[in-house]
Amino acid sequence: QVQLAESGGGSVQAGGSLRLSCLISGNALSRNCMGWFRQAPGKEHEGVAAIYRGGGITYYAEHVKGRFTISEDKSKNTVYLEMNRLEPEDTAIYYCALDIFSGCGDTWSRWGRFGFRGQGTQVTVSS
């Protein structure tokens, strides 16, 4: 059984940085899609970034391009989300999620396709 566990959230001031980690346990295979999503209060899950674990191709939501970086360290079974120049609008619970059967493609930001999900980590950015 695959399990995902996020860590690294916290409270920062606008302009600050955080690095989120998603530890993967179990047989997660390799040629599939890992995404980072976030959910702000009263809003739907929003795709932030994704990485194709078979070749490292990355995908980003327009409003985080140039600020966020997704990466994977296969030796540590961990996917990271480096977040820089954080804004109050980035405040949300952040989740990592895995679609174990497919690559990312055009639907990388659809929460419903990701069958394995972590419990989330809170990120709060104050102005």
Side-chain angles (χ1 to χ4, degrees), residues 7-87:
S7 61
S11 297
V12 296
Q13 290 190 328
S17 299
L18 285 172
R19 187 177 77 160
L20 305 183
S21 300
C22 177
L23 177 64
I24 307 166
S25 59
N27 184 10
L29 306 179
S30 59
R31 296 183 180 182
N32 46 41
C33 185
M34 176 71 80
W36 280 99
F37 292 79
R38 66 189 183 188
Q39 187 178 32
K43 294 190 176 181
E44 299 290 324
H45 288 90
E46 173 192 20
V48 174
I51 187 167
Y52 173 56
R53 301 179 63 237
I57 300 171
T58 57
Y59 305 78
Y60 295 96
E62 195 62 36
H63 48 279
V64 306
K65 282 182 180 177
R67 299 191 298 125
F68 291 10
T69 303
I70 188 171
S71 62
E72 181 179 19
D73 186 337
K74 291 186 182 294
S75 69
K76 296 182 179 180
N77 293 325
T78 301
V79 174
Y80 300 99
L81 184 68
E82 182 79 33
M83 305 186 295
N84 298 311
R85 304 200 309 275
L86 282 161
E87 304 168 353

